[in-house]
Amino acid sequence: VFNTASDAIRDTSVVLSPSVSCTVPIGKRLRLTGEGFLDFNYFRRQKTERSTDFSGEGGAEVDIGPFTLFGGGGGGQFKQRFSTDLDERLLRQEKWVTAGFVAKITSKISTTFSGETRIFAFEPSKISGASVPQALDREQLTATAQLRYSVTDQTTLLASADAIEDRFIKQKVGI
């Protein structure tokens, strides 16, 4: 259960993860999508490590000629290991919004451009004397560009580039 070089603590853990995903077409050009899940994290002996994680999101796509516009958003709450090096399972909340478009250039070539903003907020806690929210609460901005080439009906070549910027919300200026 924990990262220890000696005196290992063994436990039995089970994760159940029911999820649902749906797409609802409205006419020929508009689609609404939704997705959600629950993770039930069970530890037999280490009861303090048990948690329930959840997430949900919704979106819409609309076809306008050779373009497909899309957007959506969602959020979730998770209690997972802080990192693979540390044992703490910290509660964090995430919220996100995404928007973009797909352009069909030819029957075999298309491009996608999208942007996303995602907020990470951690529960008030300290690790090694440092405030976790002050160190890790952030807004993450991501811009993505993709180029797809359909080689066959079942094979597609994909070139993708991401630009990611983290804006830390609570860090003190000058540190």
Side-chain angles (χ1 to χ4, degrees):
V1 176
F2 302 109
N3 287 330
T4 57
S6 61
D7 301 324
I9 298 173
R10 298 188 183 276
D11 200 349
T12 302
S13 66
V14 176
V15 177
L16 297 175
S17 186
S19 63
V20 64
S21 179
C22 67
T23 299
V24 178
I26 300 177
K28 293 182 179 184
R29 299 181 341 161
L30 178 63
R31 293 167 299 287
L32 302 179
T33 60
E35 193 171 323
F37 76 84
L38 284 170
D39 276 349
F40 300 104
N41 302 293
Y42 173 80
F43 292 83
R44 188 175 58 137
R45 291 187 189 111
Q46 300 299 316
K47 294 178 182 170
T48 59
E49 302 303 309
R50 294 177 184 172
S51 67
T52 301
D53 300 338
F54 58 88
S55 178
E57 63 183 299
E61 298 177 350
V62 63
D63 297 325
I64 302 173
F67 298 99
T68 300
L69 306 177
F70 61 88
Q77 180 169 293
F78 313 92
K79 186 176 181 184
Q80 298 166 350
R81 272 188 119 142
F82 183 71
S83 79
T84 57
D85 297 326
L86 299 171
D87 292 327
E88 286 80 5
R89 287 177 170 83
L90 299 177
L91 187 66
R92 100 174 168 273
Q93 294 182 341
E94 293 182 27
K95 299 176 190 169
W96 59 88
V97 175
T98 302
F101 69 93
V102 177
K104 294 175 187 159
I105 299 168
T106 69
S107 63
K108 291 187 170 274
I109 299 172
S110 67
T111 61
T112 302
F113 297 95
S114 65
E116 178 181 84
T117 180
R118 185 174 290 253
I119 303 288
F120 297 85
F122 287 81
E123 72 177 322
S125 58
K126 292 187 180 267
I127 292 182
S128 301
S131 166
V132 172
Q134 186 172 344
L136 294 178
D137 281 7
R138 67 191 181 276
E139 177 182 18
Q140 186 176 73
L141 304 171
T142 304
T144 301
Q146 297 178 337
L147 177 64
R148 286 185 172 79
Y149 177 76
S150 177
V151 180
T152 69
D153 289 342
Q154 297 181 1
T155 306
T156 301
L157 294 175
L158 171 67
S160 180
D162 293 319
I164 301 171
E165 178 183 351
D166 284 324
R167 295 180 179 174
F168 291 89
I169 299 168
K170 298 180 181 177
Q171 287 188 349
K172 295 179 183 175
V173 176
I175 291 182

